[in-house]
């Protein structure tokens, strides 16, 4: 009967370490939600949002119904933008909105059009001065951006747009 050499034992330990690492990584990813299907994307607190939660944050077509669940689409992410001032003013902006969790086709459209949605936001701010943006106010800027983004979308519409960050740097 052949005995194992120290080198073979070393290889067995390496192989066992790799297998244990893969299992541990899978458990961590599953626990953090990174392995969720797109339709199961949830709000910032880790659970799906129902209409009426968070003092009316989830609004729009489902405002009269109690059974609609919404998820946060934050695929546009945090953008570093600049205005069209003579000396451009840098802006940091993070955009998000809610969509129905059971509408996987709309989610797919949002995911595939993320690049063009980012371009719309970038171009909007690139065509404005800091003074124009401040004069309009955040609510008007959100409404104008929402209308521009909705023109790009076919399978659903954004009811309300939210800014996580909206900062000017002088």
């Amino acid at each position: 009967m052949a005995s194992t050499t120290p080198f073979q034992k070393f290889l067995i330990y390496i192989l066992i370490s790799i297998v244990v690492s893969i299992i541990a990584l899978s458990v961590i990813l599953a626990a953090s939600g990174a392995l969720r299907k797109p339709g199961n994307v949830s709000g910032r607190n880790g659970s799906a949002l129902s209409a009426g939660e968070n003092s009316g944050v989830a609004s729009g077509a489902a405002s009269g119904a109690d059974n609609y669940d919404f998820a946060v689409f934050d695929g546009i992410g945090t953008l570093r933008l600049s205005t069209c001032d003579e000396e451009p003013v840098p802006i940091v902006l993070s955009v998000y909105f809610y969509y129905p969790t059971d509408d996987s086709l709309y989610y797919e459209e949002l995911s595939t059009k993320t690049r063009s949605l980012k371009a719309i936001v970038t171009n909007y701010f690139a065509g404005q001065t800091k003074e124009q943006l401040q004069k309009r106010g955040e609510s008007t800027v959100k409404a104008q951006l929402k209308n521009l983004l909705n023109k790009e979308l076919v399978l659903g519409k954004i009811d309300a747009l939210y800014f996580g960050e909206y900062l000017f740097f002088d």
Side-chain angles (χ1 to χ4, degrees):
M1 190 151 58
S3 64
T4 58
T5 65
F7 181 71
Q8 289 173 329
K9 287 181 182 179
F10 176 74
L11 288 177
I12 290 171
Y13 288 127
I14 294 278
L15 183 61
I16 290 171
S17 297
I18 290 172
V19 170
V20 169
S21 297
I22 290 172
I23 292 170
L25 183 61
S26 297
V27 168
I28 290 170
L29 289 175
S32 71
L35 299 178
R36 288 183 184 155
K37 293 179 183 174
N40 294 334
V41 175
S42 59
R44 292 181 187 254
N45 63 0
S47 62
L49 298 172
S50 297
E53 280 186 31
N54 295 334
S55 41
V57 169
S59 63
S63 59
D66 296 329
N67 297 343
Y68 291 104
D69 288 333
F70 292 88
V72 175
F73 183 80
D74 58 359
I76 295 174
T78 301
L79 303 172
R80 280 114 186 112
L81 311 165
S82 59
T83 63
C84 69
D85 290 292
E86 191 172 309
E87 187 176 321
V89 176
I91 300 171
V92 173
L93 176 74
S94 61
V95 177
Y96 66 96
F97 53 89
Y98 294 95
Y99 71 95
T101 55
D102 61 348
D103 195 346
S104 59
L105 291 176
Y106 183 44
Y107 177 80
E108 185 176 332
E109 179 185 25
L110 293 171
S111 296
T112 56
K113 291 185 175 180
T114 298
R115 186 175 289 172
S116 62
L117 297 176
K118 285 181 182 183
I120 290 169
V121 174
T122 301
N123 291 335
Y124 176 83
F125 283 93
Q128 311 290 325
T129 65
K130 178 182 177 182
E131 183 181 335
Q132 289 171 326
L133 293 167
Q134 289 180 328
K135 191 178 289 184
R136 285 190 183 112
E138 188 174 324
S139 60
T140 303
V141 170
K142 287 178 186 176
Q144 291 175 341
L145 269 176
K146 180 185 79 163
N147 291 336
L148 291 171
L149 294 170
N150 279 336
K151 286 179 185 177
E152 180 72 16
L153 300 172
V154 176
L155 299 175
K157 298 297 178 198
I158 300 168
D159 291 325
L161 196 65
Y162 301 94
F163 293 163
E165 292 178 282
Y166 183 37
L167 305 170
F168 292 88
F169 292 95
D170 292 320

